[in-house]
Amino acid sequence: MARTTYQDLLDAGVHFGHLTRKWDPKMSQYIFMERNGIHIIDLNKTLTKVEEAAAAIKQIVKSGRKVLFVATKKQAKDIVAEYAKGVNMPFVTERWLGGMLTNFATVRKSIKKMSNIDKLTKDGTYSNLSKKERLMIQRERIKLETLLGGIADLNRLPAALFLIDVKKEHIAVSEALKLNIPTFAMVDTNSDPSNIDFPIPANDDATKSISLITGIIIKAIEEGLDERKREKEDEAEKEAALAKAKADSPKAEAPAAPAAPAAAPAEGGKRKRVAAEAEAPAAAPSAPAEKEEE
């Protein structure tokens, strides 16, 4: 079953591109026509590409890895943040810090600093500080939360990136390229799709269009998470059944212990043979004596 329809894309305004003078020639394969100085995106290709992207992202999530959502433009950030929180995925919606992926260790230090401030607040140390120190720490906490709050639970590099407007998020795209991280993105007619692994030709300025395409990706992620959960449950059931079978089997399948008396005769016989061999030489000289008497 298709994840969306041609009519849904049309109603959301996914087909509206940018002005013809602002186009990127590399997007020509996804452009259907020109109307009133605006490029119209081919929705048949959008349908195909969104299906490909959703299927691929589902497999990534099913394997237990994370997808980082990136959308810092005004129209998209609230929509993306809400969707990403719903499936417990990391997101960046304020500002992309240079080196967020390529210098991930340093970013993790900043996230750790944020958690240390939270610990100060919980253990009572924060209340013992002066008013000025508390104010400075509070300001720093707000700043860190704004920039890094969405990736606070990201302990390692994400398995993929989903971006809105690759032209605006070009730094994130270049960092993903350096680290060979797959990229999924909504690509408008003014953008270059060649650096994106799974481009989705679509209007990246309209909130309805952003909401529709992001919603499709989120549904694919939910499907992947559900399948992963079911697989884990099945594995747990199999392990429990195996453990039960092993617990029941020793009584029925225990091998019979070897009979101890069986070894005794052999050992006794050996002793008798040794005794006989020891006595034999002593009896040998008596034979000639008897012969002499005869």
Side-chain angles (χ1 to χ4, degrees), residues 21-267:
R21 59 188 171 83
K22 290 185 177 180
W23 80 309
D24 191 305
K26 290 179 182 176
M27 277 296 289
S28 58
Q29 59 180 317
Y30 302 116
I31 293 172
F32 177 64
M33 64 179 291
E34 177 194 335
R35 182 181 289 174
N36 299 328
I38 294 171
H39 276 130
I40 304 298
I41 295 166
D42 188 345
L43 292 183
N44 289 314
K45 290 188 176 177
T46 302
L47 273 172
T48 305
K49 289 293 180 181
V50 81
E51 288 289 338
E52 285 176 11
I57 218 161
K58 178 183 171 181
Q59 292 305 315
I60 288 170
V61 174
K62 191 178 172 181
S63 65
R65 294 174 292 170
K66 297 279 186 181
V67 177
L68 177 61
F69 285 75
V70 184
T72 58
K73 68 194 300 179
K74 191 179 177 182
Q75 305 95 304
K77 60 184 185 179
D78 292 336
I79 296 166
V80 170
E82 188 181 343
Y83 273 130
K85 283 177 187 174
V87 288
N88 197 28
M89 287 292 161
F91 59 91
V92 175
T93 54
E94 285 304 318
R95 183 165 69 88
W96 181 269
L97 299 174
M100 194 173 277
L101 296 178
T102 52
N103 197 13
F104 189 68
T106 305
V107 174
R108 283 298 307 161
K109 284 178 185 175
S110 299
I111 293 169
K112 195 175 180 182
K113 193 176 185 181
M114 188 167 64
S115 63
N116 288 337
I117 292 170
D118 292 339
K119 283 178 186 175
L120 289 176
T121 312
K122 286 177 183 176
D123 63 17
T125 312
Y126 183 75
S127 56
N128 296 330
L129 299 172
S130 66
K131 189 177 179 181
K132 187 179 178 180
E133 285 175 323
R134 285 203 304 269
L135 189 64
M136 285 172 68
I137 289 170
Q138 193 177 0
R139 282 175 181 168
E140 189 175 12
R141 175 70 178 80
I142 291 166
K143 186 182 176 182
L144 288 170
E145 177 65 35
T146 304
L147 293 172
L148 305 171
I151 59 168
D153 298 327
L154 191 65
N155 298 317
R156 59 177 180 174
L157 286 170
L161 262 65
F162 178 78
L163 308 107
I164 309 292
D165 194 344
V166 296
K167 197 168 184 179
K168 186 174 177 62
E169 312 300 345
H170 65 279
I171 300 171
V173 173
S174 62
E175 287 188 30
L177 275 171
K178 283 179 186 176
L179 298 170
N180 293 321
I181 296 173
T183 48
F184 300 75
M186 287 179 69
V187 185
D188 212 328
T189 56
N190 66 333
S191 306
D192 180 4
S194 60
N195 293 327
I196 306 299
D197 297 298
F198 294 91
I200 304 167
N203 179 357
D204 62 12
D205 292 311
T207 53
K208 281 185 179 180
S209 174
I210 293 166
S211 184
L212 178 65
I213 299 297
T214 308
I216 293 165
I217 296 299
I218 292 294
K219 280 178 185 173
I221 288 173
E222 286 173 349
E223 286 171 17
L225 291 170
D226 288 342
E227 284 185 20
R228 180 172 169 77
K229 189 180 176 183
R230 282 198 299 273
E231 282 179 4
K232 278 189 171 181
E233 286 171 358
D234 291 343
E235 282 176 15
E237 284 176 11
K238 283 178 184 176
E239 284 175 9
L242 281 169
K244 192 180 178 184
K246 282 180 182 177
D248 296 341
S249 62
K251 293 176 184 177
E253 295 176 11
E267 206 172 311

